[in-house]
Amino acid sequence: MTSKTHRHTLLTKQENNTRQKRIWDLLRHLPTFMFRFLRLLSFVFFLLPAFAVFLYHYFACDRIAVYYGVKDAIGENGERMFLSRHYLDMYGSRTTFVNDNRETKKKKPVVIFLTGGAWIIGYRMWGCLLARALVPFGILVIIPDYRNFPKVNIKGMVDDVDMSIQWVLDHVEEYGGDRNRVVLVGQSAGAHIGGVVVAKKVLDWIQQHQKAGEGSTEEDCRHLKSTYSPQQLCGFITTSSPHNLVTMRSVFHRHGLSASVQRSIFGGISGSNDDDLIDDIVKSVATSDDMDVFEEWSPYHLVKKCQTEYICLISEGNANRSSIDQLKDIFPKLCVIHGTSDKTVPVEEAIEFLSLLSNLQIPALSKMYPGWSHTDPILEKPMLGNHLYHRDIYELVRRWTDSSGTVSDDRFAICNDNIERYKSEHKSESAENIGIVDDSSKEEEDDYFNLIPFDETHCILRPICPRSLVEIARVCNPF
């Protein structure tokens, strides 16, 4: 008992010191953050007409907040459940859509949307416009909140998102969703966290099969505490994501995340209240190479690790190779979306990630939005009535959640003149791996699992902000 008390005291002291260091790292760069914060306020000011609609819809729409954490849990610093960030917004659980000739009692496909926010200012409200666009067409949209830095580092964020996905798969049918038709979508930092979760779940699957013959328990093998498999997700759509943290370090620095803040976000202690923190402390002290820290939480490097572990699995003498899925079958279906004018996360991040997936023979759809910035898919374009991003998500959900096999992904794999133009402008050899959605083609609007066709003339999809204000706001946009 004494040793346990001593261990807990050491752990608490180490955790408090680490949290203080995180806060100090932020304070040291306060002038930079203040400048960017003022730009953010200006950005919001010019978009006030749109944000007024945004706020009204958030509080007046079919939305319920549900706690996905441990009931009656007491978090660090004594915070209780009602102060926790472990809540999710669920949109559309009571919404019915008008369609006279279709059965409307079927369970709805589910989109889990992970919001961005540079791992510091993420909040579940940021996904309101996406939910506003998808719910009228029969999608149940769930947007989980997760703790931010400096409260936790990346491990705490990943644990939160992983726990929220497990909750959705366990409980979504109580709210009219279909647990067998869940698609994960992430934007910016949210896409990065989602990519880490998906890759670590694949690693869990591989390593559990590796150690099954060694008599190890399931808990010995897991990177994450959840019990769902990656195949339970019908797909993962990553948008404007920093896939490779190693190559993004200089870009982060130019945008106000100094080297010390980056190390605090990706190399500190998670803030979780469990004995696993001891291992984290030892690991953080023992790791002298910064690259190892960033690679550990980089989807690009985690996918490469999946390939390495998979090769080890199928080469083991006690493994029944015929019963092992190919690596591409362990991953959920993937789609990479990025704006070509994104300065926060350059489009080369998407190109290199797609190139890696192609080299590993993991199929992935993709779409590059010509001239779109980092926040265009979730803010400026929807405010102007351009819902191309929402339509693409909707079409992917229709295709990925169709179990009959009659719906093809071909339209999302066609390369057209846009890719040739992009290759000539950017002269990137990797660009040839990108497939652009051919928007000029039209398909028959079939009924895929009682989903009505996406209608961009729907009244809720009309512009909510004058174009002049949006263009002025772009100048102030800190992202």
Side-chain angles (χ1 to χ4, degrees), residues 102-305:
R102 289 177 171 85
E103 174 62 54
T104 60
K105 294 182 180 179
K106 292 182 180 179
K107 294 174 182 177
K108 298 178 180 179
V110 180
V111 166
I112 303 174
F113 183 64
L114 308 177
T115 60
W119 304 279
I120 297 174
I121 59 171
Y123 188 57
R124 64 185 190 267
M125 183 190 289
W126 305 162
C128 180
L129 289 181
L130 179 137
R132 183 173 181 262
L134 296 183
V135 165
F137 302 102
I139 302 288
L140 185 68
V141 178
I142 297 176
I143 305 178
D145 210 356
Y146 55 87
R147 294 170 294 173
N148 292 163
F149 179 84
K151 189 175 183 63
V152 295
N153 78 342
I154 185 64
K155 184 179 186 303
M157 302 178 211
V158 168
D159 288 344
D160 288 354
V161 167
D162 182 53
M163 181 165 56
S164 72
I165 295 173
Q166 182 70 68
W167 185 94
V168 170
L169 293 171
D170 290 344
H171 298 283
V172 73
E173 296 201 345
E174 301 168 16
Y175 299 88
D178 190 339
R179 69 188 305 269
N180 297 315
R181 294 190 288 159
V182 177
V183 174
L184 183 65
V185 183
Q187 191 268 340
S188 190
H192 164 263
I193 296 170
V196 171
V197 170
V198 169
K200 284 186 176 287
K201 291 305 296 183
V202 172
L203 282 172
D204 282 348
W205 190 96
I206 295 172
Q207 292 181 1
Q208 285 170 26
H209 283 73
Q210 278 180 328
K211 297 186 178 182
E214 302 173 7
S216 300
T217 62
E218 188 175 333
E219 287 75 10
D220 293 334
C221 309
R222 280 190 279 188
H223 291 81
L224 301 172
K225 296 180 179 179
S226 58
T227 58
Y228 66 90
S229 70
Q231 299 96 324
Q232 285 182 260
L233 297 174
C234 292
F236 173 47
I237 304 171
T238 171
T239 310
S240 309
S241 172
H243 302 284
N244 189 336
L245 295 181
V246 175
T247 59
M248 281 295 297
R249 293 181 67 182
S250 60
V251 180
F252 290 153
H253 187 79
R254 290 197 300 270
H255 284 82
L257 288 180
S258 68
S260 60
V261 172
Q262 292 179 48
R263 281 193 296 271
S264 294
I265 293 175
F266 301 111
I269 300 172
S270 70
S272 302
N273 288 325
D274 55 48
D275 290 340
D276 291 339
L277 270 177
I278 292 293
D279 295 332
D280 293 337
I281 295 170
V282 173
K283 186 182 294 184
S284 64
V285 172
T287 301
S288 58
D289 188 356
D290 269 356
M291 294 301 178
D292 292 343
V293 172
F294 288 92
E295 287 179 4
E296 182 182 356
W297 301 105
S298 170
Y300 182 93
H301 294 93
L302 287 171
V303 170
K304 291 174 70 173
K305 186 177 180 181

Side-chain angles (χ1 to χ4, degrees), residues 2 29 117-118 158 165 193 227 325 352 365 368 420 444 451 456:
T2 305
H29 302 89
V158 168
I165 295 173
I193 296 170
T227 58
D325 295 327
E352 293 304 321
L365 305 176
M368 305 294 113
E420 296 301 326
E444 293 184 6
L451 287 180
E456 294 186 59

Side-chain angles (χ1 to χ4, degrees), residues 395 398-399 402 407 443-444 446-451:
E395 293 299 330
R398 293 180 81 194
R399 285 154 175 75
D402 174 53
V407 184
E443 293 184 341
E444 293 184 6
D446 299 323
D447 179 12
Y448 306 147
F449 271 101
N450 78 333
L451 287 180

Side-chain angles (χ1 to χ4, degrees), residues 48 96 160:
L48 276 179
T96 58
D160 288 354

Side-chain angles (χ1 to χ4, degrees), residues 365-388:
L365 305 176
S366 61
K367 182 163 186 183
M368 305 294 113
Y369 294 131
W372 284 34
S373 71
H374 189 69
T375 55
D376 266 332
I378 60 167
L379 288 178
E380 292 98 314
K381 292 298 184 179
M383 289 176 178
L384 290 172
N386 183 339
H387 293 271
L388 178 59

